[in-house]
Amino acid sequence: LCRIQYHFGEFGNYSLVVKTLSTSTKTVSCDLVVNEGPINSYLPILFAFLVYMGILAILIVGRLFMKIDTVRNWVYKKLNPRETDRLINSELGPPNTADSDSTDPALHLWSTASRQRLRSLDTFRGLSLIIMVFVNYGGGKYWFFKHESWNGKLHFPSALFSRFVFIMGTSISLSLSSMLRWGSSKRKVLGKILWRSFLLILLGILVVNPNYCLGPLSWDNLRIPGVLQRLGFTYLVVAALELLLTRAGAESGTVETPCPALRDILPFWPQWIFILMLEVVSLCLTFLLPVPGCPRGYLGPGGIGDFGNYPNCTGGAAGYIDRLLLGEQHIYQHPSSNVIYQTTMPYDPEGILGTINTIVMAFLGLQAGKIILFYKDQHKQIMSRFFIWSIVMGIISAILTKCSKEEGFIPINKNLWSVSYVTTTSCFAFILLLLMYYLVDVKKLWSGAPFFYPGMNSILVYIGHEVFENYFPFKWKMRDSQSHAEHLTQNLTATTLWVTISYLLYRKRIFWKI
């Protein structure tokens, strides 16, 4: 009848008035009437930004006061930060750092070579974690802080978990190198890997199945996959891969390679072959596995998606494998696709098949750690290689997606953890790590605060924010459940509390490590 364009505002009330002007010529007019004007839903974000900028200004003024000798001496005497830094730098992680579990007196000969812990890694981890906490708490109920329902643009929240996986891989490279350098046997290190993986998986099952008021957990509807479970299994595979398939001398760079420019890659060819084989298995299962009632290689959301032709095919092979091996009652029952696509099938975004690509993501982070180890103190080499890896991953993503939302060979999909999702998020992860490494560890223009502190206690903050999500002061009853201002206030308050808690724990030298 007519075509009209209009930018509708949130909470506005509108009427579309359609009138027939002439019955003979069938002329129709369409007028849009604003019954109630919309609100500016972005004002709360502006206000929150100004508040945090005010806090930042106060902190800057505080630092200026710290330049006064009398004030500085009094604060240092009260806080004693040197002792805290000594404790932090004794933790596992950076190259040439002592294994705190080591008791061999001979190993203290290495103490003169000890280095400061790379703060950029903890800052990277903390930034990803804190934004993840904010998004999990609701993100102020803004659409751009929500995960994409299926294929599509890579919203900022969709890349957070992948960055956490990426930096976990980087930390694996540094921590294993440190433990082996300080004399721990491979058997002992493997035992630590197995134990830590077990604890992560166990904690994950407890966290994703809160049943505090309904009695004991029931196996009938126990969700098996989850974030910590995937992290635990990914850690197990990547850490064991690094420990068992690293050639002697490869870590120190003494192994001769035909191409010196690739000396951080070629000595580890067994690991690359293993990862490539895993990816081939993932792609074969995704595109070749027969799924009852679904076209082979289906990657859609099911439900009313694809004109409702495949309502029970949510996730294709990935969903089918989870339902077959784990059972429908043991996977996530409310996937992000069920609102828009009205899906009825359960689907778990942390399922079995997607874990393979999570391992690939962690392995790319492992490569970043190798670069730091091989080229320590060679800042230009490290940053240039981060940049090259980012470009390579970006090119692969452009080829896989054809730079489109739906038309590529493999669309970006966080729910499926598609290989294009991995290459795209790793592209940005390398760039982000490059920037943080430059600002925090090279130029020392930024201490990493406040994200450095939750990065030092990441497991505690993640589990804590999940367990206490529905408890005051992290959540309270709101007067207007539709108000962005109230949601944003609540979510930012909860997130800021976790940053404050992690800072206080840092000052008290309390670090929960698994």
Side-chain angles (χ1 to χ4, degrees):
L1 292 174
C2 58
R3 183 169 297 179
I4 187 171
Q5 291 185 352
Y6 191 84
H7 183 77
F8 294 94
E10 193 165 15
F11 299 120
N13 188 290
Y14 307 88
S15 295
L16 180 63
V17 181
V18 182
K19 295 181 180 179
T20 303
L21 299 179
S22 174
T23 56
S24 58
T25 60
K26 297 183 179 179
T27 305
V28 175
S29 70
C30 296
D31 297 306
L32 194 71
V33 178
V34 180
N35 303 319
E36 185 175 349
I39 66 169
N40 189 339
S41 59
Y42 301 108
L43 284 178
I45 295 180
L46 175 61
F47 182 76
F49 174 78
L50 294 176
V51 169
Y52 280 100
M53 287 300 100
I55 295 173
L56 179 62
I58 293 173
L59 293 176
I60 292 174
V61 172
R63 292 200 65 175
L64 293 176
F65 273 107
M66 287 290 290
K67 293 183 178 180
I68 302 174
D69 291 340
T70 306
V71 177
R72 183 173 63 251
N73 293 337
W74 182 82
V75 173
Y76 280 177
K77 184 178 179 181
K78 291 293 182 181
L79 299 181
N80 192 16
R82 290 184 180 180
E83 180 64 16
T84 298
D85 287 338
R86 185 200 63 77
L87 178 68
I88 297 303
N89 290 325
S90 69
E91 294 289 332
L92 297 179
N96 297 328
T97 303
D99 183 356
S100 59
D101 292 331
S102 175
T103 56
D104 188 350
L107 298 179
H108 292 288
L109 294 174
W110 288 80
S111 60
T112 56
S114 64
R115 290 169 47 94
Q116 289 282 322
R117 182 184 179 104
L118 289 174
R119 294 178 70 95
S120 57
L121 303 186
D122 294 308
T123 304
F124 185 106
R125 184 188 301 110
L127 174 64
S128 302
L129 175 62
I130 286 305
I131 300 177
M132 186 189 302
V133 169
F134 173 67
V135 170
N136 288 347
Y137 277 153
K141 294 299 180 183
Y142 288 100
W143 64 270
F144 42 80
F145 286 132
K146 294 181 179 180
H147 296 294
E148 187 71 44
S149 294
W150 204 250
N151 296 339
K153 299 176 182 178
L154 193 63
H155 288 175
F156 191 69
S158 301
L160 297 175
F161 182 31
S162 62
R163 289 175 189 159
F164 203 82
V165 172
F166 180 89
I167 204 65
M168 181 183 72
T170 307
S171 300
I172 288 173
S173 178
L174 301 179
S175 62
L176 292 188
S177 173
S178 177
M179 283 189 279
L180 294 174
R181 177 175 297 168
W182 289 91
S184 295
S185 66
K186 285 194 173 183
R187 181 186 296 272
K188 180 180 178 181
V189 174
L190 183 60
K192 288 184 177 180
I193 292 171
L194 291 170
W195 178 244
R196 190 181 194 211
S197 302
F198 169 76
L199 288 179
L200 282 172
I201 293 171
L202 179 62
L203 286 171
I205 291 176
L206 295 176
V207 167
V208 300
N209 293 283
N211 216 26
Y212 313 123
C213 302
L214 302 178
L217 291 176
S218 171
W219 175 255
D220 294 338
N221 55 6
L222 184 78
R223 181 187 173 192
I224 298 175
V227 170
L228 289 177
Q229 296 92 307
R230 179 171 280 192
L231 284 176
F233 187 77
T234 300
Y235 175 82
L236 173 63
V237 174
V238 176
L241 187 67
E242 173 70 359
L243 179 68
L244 302 177
L245 294 186
T246 298
R247 298 166 59 190
E251 288 286 351
S252 59
T254 58
V255 176
E256 293 186 5
T257 58
C259 182
L262 300 177
R263 65 191 182 98
D264 56 332
I265 299 176
L266 294 181
F268 304 96
W269 62 265
Q271 298 179 2
W272 283 96
I273 289 178
F274 180 84
I275 289 297
L276 290 174
M277 289 176 60
L278 267 184
E279 188 57 45
V280 169
V281 169
S282 173
L283 292 173
C284 288
L285 288 173
T286 299
F287 292 101
L288 301 179
L289 180 69
V291 179
C294 307
R296 189 164 297 185
Y298 181 71
L299 299 175
I304 63 173
D306 301 298
F307 303 102
N309 293 325
Y310 317 110
N312 298 324
C313 297
T314 303
Y320 175 68
I321 290 173
D322 289 341
R323 293 189 292 269
L324 181 67
L325 299 182
L326 303 177
E328 291 191 8
Q329 297 303 316
H330 299 296
I331 60 179
Y332 193 45
Q333 302 295 309
H334 308 288
S336 59
S337 59
N338 66 358
V339 176
I340 290 182
Y341 297 102
Q342 300 178 23
T343 57
T344 57
M345 300 295 291
Y347 177 80
D348 207 307
E350 278 76 50
I352 296 172
L353 189 57
T355 303
I356 294 179
N357 282 334
T358 309
I359 292 171
V360 175
M361 185 75 188
F363 185 76
L364 292 171
L366 187 78
Q367 181 61 35
K370 286 185 172 69
I371 292 172
I372 294 173
L373 286 172
F374 270 83
Y375 300 97
K376 61 181 179 181
D377 297 328
Q378 301 178 47
H379 301 314
K380 289 185 179 179
Q381 284 280 5
I382 291 174
M383 292 189 293
S384 63
R385 287 176 181 273
F386 285 169
F387 182 74
I388 291 171
W389 271 102
S390 177
I391 295 298
V392 170
M393 292 295 105
I395 291 173
I396 295 174
S397 297
I399 294 172
L400 291 176
T401 63
K402 297 182 181 179
C403 298
S404 67
K405 178 177 179 178
E406 302 278 0
E407 303 302 323
F409 301 108
I410 304 178
I412 295 174
N413 191 302
K414 193 264 181 187
N415 286 283
L416 295 172
W417 266 75
S418 62
V419 64
S420 58
Y421 169 79
V422 170
T423 55
T424 303
T425 54
S426 62
C427 167
F428 292 114
F430 274 110
I431 287 292
L432 183 60
L433 183 57
L434 186 159
L435 292 174
M436 289 196 172
Y437 179 76
Y438 177 77
L439 293 174
V440 177
D441 289 317
V442 179
K443 293 297 183 180
K444 302 187 185 302
L445 299 174
W446 178 31
S447 67
F451 306 111
F452 172 76
Y453 307 115
M456 290 296 301
N457 251 322
S458 55
I459 296 297
L460 185 146
V461 172
Y462 181 81
I463 292 179
H465 102 275
E466 288 278 0
V467 171
F468 297 103
E469 177 181 6
N470 295 314
Y471 294 90
F472 184 83
F474 305 100
K475 191 173 185 179
W476 59 82
K477 186 176 181 180
M478 291 181 288
R479 296 176 60 186
D480 182 3
S481 61
Q482 298 297 316
S483 169
H484 281 297
E486 288 197 48
H487 278 287
L488 190 64
T489 300
Q490 186 181 88
N491 301 154
L492 285 176
T493 299
T495 305
T496 303
L497 280 172
W498 284 114
V499 174
T500 305
I501 290 170
S502 62
Y503 172 76
L504 294 175
L505 292 174
Y506 174 82
R507 302 310 311 185
K508 295 292 184 181
R509 312 166 198 168
I510 299 173
F511 306 101
W512 185 24
K513 296 184 180 295
I514 296 178

